[in-house]
Amino acid sequence: MAAAQPEPEPGVIHAWSAPRSLSTSLMYSFAQRDDMEVLDEPLYANFLRVTDVDRPYRQELLSKMDPDGNKVISEVIFGPGKTKFRYCKHISKQRLPNLSSDLMKKGKHFILIRSPLNILPSFGKVVPPSFFELGIAELVSIYSELCELGSPPPVIDADDLLRDPEVVLGGLCEALRIPFQPQMLKWEAGPKDFDGIWAPWWYRSVHKSTGFSMPRHYPLTFPFAFYDLLEQSLPFYNMLKRQVSKTAGSLQPTLPDPPLPVPENKKILVWVGDELLPRDSAKVSVFDSVVQGGDAVWEGLRIYDGKVFKLDEHLDRLFDSAKAMAFSNVPSRDWIKDAIFRTLNANGMFNNAHIRLTLTRGKKVTSGMSPAFNLYGCTLIVLAEWKPPVYDNSHGIKLVTATTRRNSPNSIDSKIHHNNLINNILAKIEGNLAQAEDAIMLDKDGFVSETNATNIFMVKKGIVLTPHAEYCLPGITRATVMDLVVKESLVLHERRISLSEFHAADEVWTTGTMGEITPVVMIDGREIGDGKIGPVTRQIQNAYKVLTAGSGVPIPRNAEE
């Protein structure tokens, strides 16, 4: 008589979650499959034995469930079975250091997350909530370990699962490389024979269910005694939320991540307040004045060959703008410089980079217009990016004239380099719609002021002209180019200039830190000169290139570098 063949080892699926995250409902869902057996928290007894935490059912559980975690791993989780797959519902905090590495190295894993905002209101029915009991940080640790093992696990959000269970389950099954089965969407109400001993304390609601139901449209009132715990937990949830596969069940319409103009800027460090943060974490408070009313001032700085070009001139204007705006508790010049240098060093940006330097009035104690609510001091933002000049300085650009007029000093003085840029943005919209790179803005009397983003110059019969800085920003690059024009033995006139003069100019260029010296080859459909870059423009471009290569404030670096 032939010996009985040993039962094969099922393919193990590990589901990791924090408590109160629909983990039991998901276990019921997988239990409906015709190729699956399920295990409800097989490592629970090991967790109670090792941690010595108290539970109302502790003694009963320890007497009926094997407390030897490694024995459970080898004989139960990875033991033989009669089904093709074995689904193991795990609570993240039950993964303890005493357990065999096989737990993470074998089988397929996925992570189920849920916002602490939705977990905490119902958590304390059996166990007082704590950071340890939530186990959200341990979920991040599990995700990181699986990534290090070369198997990044799929992550699904419980609220997405409630909104569109078929799509989310279908996507999860695809990620696990198992076929989706429609019966996963429904189950019978009541207790299950595979429920853990703890079910009477935790599963009352799920026992009433027969499937995934739509989430509450409005959340439960949050118990504000748990506010500190929410603040501790949310960053860990958000780290995992960024890994969630986009599905039709998501709350917001999903869009693919757009390509960045410079892909290297996907991973940069940004200075916000008094610290460096990763790009996606670099945020200001909703109470900050820049959010409440565009109440901030800013500068653009460019980095050449290990030096910050015109740093002190830009800081002079920043402080002048902050003074005109009556900012209080403005950081010192040395402190801002140090933040700039720290940011550049951290990012390794010593050439071909650009900084958007912003100083807001700061955070308010309550929403409102009055600066009297700004009691926290200013907020500094140092946003450094890899950024070559943003215009085509080799072939030139096209401009159109906007109907939007440049601000008059009667309303907002353009000499204040403020963040309230709606006036410029409206003109830029007109330029975009006309498929031009930028738009010329006129002053209240119809004379040319500047473009929506740059100052502007023209050449006629060898003479260089630029508008007065009455309705436009007196740009740092503008002033630099005016000096260069004189040093290059050219005649410079600063006066009111009409639009028709620009249409009939021999050459036109724009100036700005972000774009440098940009030739203009067409305005409002009129070719400028012969439609090519003129000799004076090239002369100034070359002089500017020499100047930027040889001047600027050196970026201090560590001695060993």
Side-chain angles (χ1 to χ4, degrees), residues 61-87:
L61 192 152
L62 288 173
S63 67
K64 295 182 178 180
M65 195 172 184
D66 195 330
D68 184 340
N70 288 319
K71 184 179 177 183
V72 170
I73 289 172
S74 62
E75 298 181 7
V76 179
I77 293 177
F78 295 117
K82 297 181 179 179
T83 57
K84 186 175 182 180
F85 300 107
R86 177 177 290 145
Y87 180 97

Side-chain angles (χ1 to χ4, degrees), residues 272-273 284 288-289 331 358-363 376-381:
V272 181
V284 296
D288 197 285
S289 286
T358 304
L359 186 70
T360 84
R361 195 183 296 273
K363 191 169 66 172
Y376 293 95
C378 294
T379 302
L380 179 70
I381 302 168

Side-chain angles (χ1 to χ4, degrees), residues 80-373:
K82 297 181 179 179
T83 57
K84 186 175 182 180
F85 300 107
R86 177 177 290 145
Y87 180 97
C88 296
K89 171 194 163 190
H90 298 300
I91 299 300
S92 58
K93 63 194 172 202
Q94 294 174 12
R95 190 198 67 144
L96 298 177
N98 73 310
L99 297 174
S100 165
S101 62
D102 283 350
L103 178 65
M104 305 305 293
K105 291 179 177 179
K106 296 174 64 176
K108 299 175 180 179
H109 299 257
F110 76 89
I111 292 176
L112 171 67
I113 62 171
R114 197 177 195 190
S115 171
L117 276 169
N118 295 326
I119 292 175
L120 287 168
S122 64
F123 192 98
K125 294 178 180 179
V126 179
V127 178
S130 67
F131 190 71
F132 166 74
E133 291 289 1
L134 278 177
I136 295 180
E138 185 60 28
L139 277 180
V140 174
S141 178
I142 290 168
Y143 180 85
S144 299
E145 182 173 338
L146 290 169
C147 288
E148 289 175 5
L149 290 171
S151 302
V155 181
I156 62 170
D157 193 293
D159 292 322
D160 291 342
L161 180 60
L162 288 176
R163 275 186 287 272
D164 201 334
E166 184 171 356
V167 168
V168 174
L169 283 174
L172 177 60
C173 288
E174 182 179 354
L176 296 171
R177 297 182 181 177
I178 62 175
F180 170 71
Q181 294 185 0
Q183 61 264 34
M184 296 175 70
L185 299 171
K186 294 292 180 183
W187 54 84
E188 292 184 2
K192 309 294 183 284
D193 57 8
F194 51 80
D195 283 345
I197 291 168
W198 49 90
W201 283 267
W202 293 102
Y203 294 179
R204 292 176 185 174
S205 295
V206 74
H207 284 164
K208 298 176 183 178
S209 70
T210 58
F212 298 102
S213 57
M214 283 291 292
R216 292 182 180 89
H217 185 69
Y218 298 107
L220 295 172
T221 299
F222 186 79
F224 284 95
F226 303 154
Y227 193 85
D228 290 346
L229 185 54
L230 176 67
E231 283 196 313
Q232 295 169 27
S233 305
L234 269 177
F236 294 93
Y237 166 76
N238 288 332
M239 288 171 67
L240 290 170
K241 180 70 174 176
R242 289 197 291 269
Q243 311 305 323
V244 171
S245 299
K246 300 300 183 184
T247 71
S250 298
L251 182 61
Q252 297 290 343
T254 58
L255 295 172
D257 288 337
L260 300 181
V262 180
E264 289 79 5
N265 288 326
K266 184 176 178 62
K267 295 181 179 180
I268 56 173
L269 296 168
V270 182
W271 185 280
V272 181
D274 59 359
E275 62 181 336
L276 282 165
L277 297 167
R279 177 185 177 120
D280 289 342
S281 301
K283 299 175 175 66
V284 296
S285 168
V286 295
F287 286 96
D288 197 285
S289 286
V290 73
V291 178
Q292 295 272 323
D295 189 1
V297 296
W298 69 280
E299 290 295 321
L301 302 160
R302 190 165 277 287
I303 315 305
Y304 300 94
D305 297 323
K307 300 182 290 294
V308 185
F309 187 62
K310 298 287 182 179
L311 173 58
D312 285 304
E313 290 86 343
H314 281 286
L315 290 181
D316 286 343
R317 188 171 65 183
L318 184 81
F319 286 114
D320 286 348
S321 296
K323 184 71 173 290
M325 297 279 285
F327 280 14
S328 299
N329 300 310
V330 175
S332 71
R333 179 182 291 255
D334 286 343
W335 193 87
I336 293 177
K337 280 187 176 182
D338 190 58
I340 291 170
F341 296 146
R342 285 172 179 264
T343 303
L344 293 172
N345 273 278
N347 286 291
M349 292 181 179
F350 304 110
N351 192 36
N352 208 27
H354 178 272
I355 293 174
R356 174 81 174 217
L357 182 70
T358 304
L359 186 70
T360 84
R361 195 183 296 273
K363 191 169 66 172
K364 293 176 177 288
V365 294
T366 186
S367 63
M369 184 185 300
S370 175
F373 297 145

Side-chain angles (χ1 to χ4, degrees), residues 407-451:
N407 286 325
S408 163
N410 287 326
S411 51
I412 301 177
D413 191 348
S414 296
K415 293 177 181 61
I416 302 174
H417 205 198
H418 54 78
N419 278 60
N420 202 317
L421 297 174
I422 293 298
N423 181 238
N424 306 69
I425 292 169
L426 288 171
K428 179 63 175 176
I429 291 170
E430 293 188 62
N432 288 349
L433 293 174
Q435 298 183 331
E437 281 77 9
D438 269 332
I440 288 177
M441 301 184 73
L442 308 180
D443 65 24
K444 67 180 182 65
D445 295 320
F447 291 98
V448 171
S449 176
E450 59 181 349
T451 78

Side-chain angles (χ1 to χ4, degrees), residues 528-546:
I528 303 303
D530 60 2
K532 298 178 182 178
I533 302 175
V536 177
T537 306
R538 290 198 184 279
Q539 182 180 351
I540 298 302
Q541 282 183 321
N542 291 334
Y544 189 80
K545 186 175 182 180
V546 171

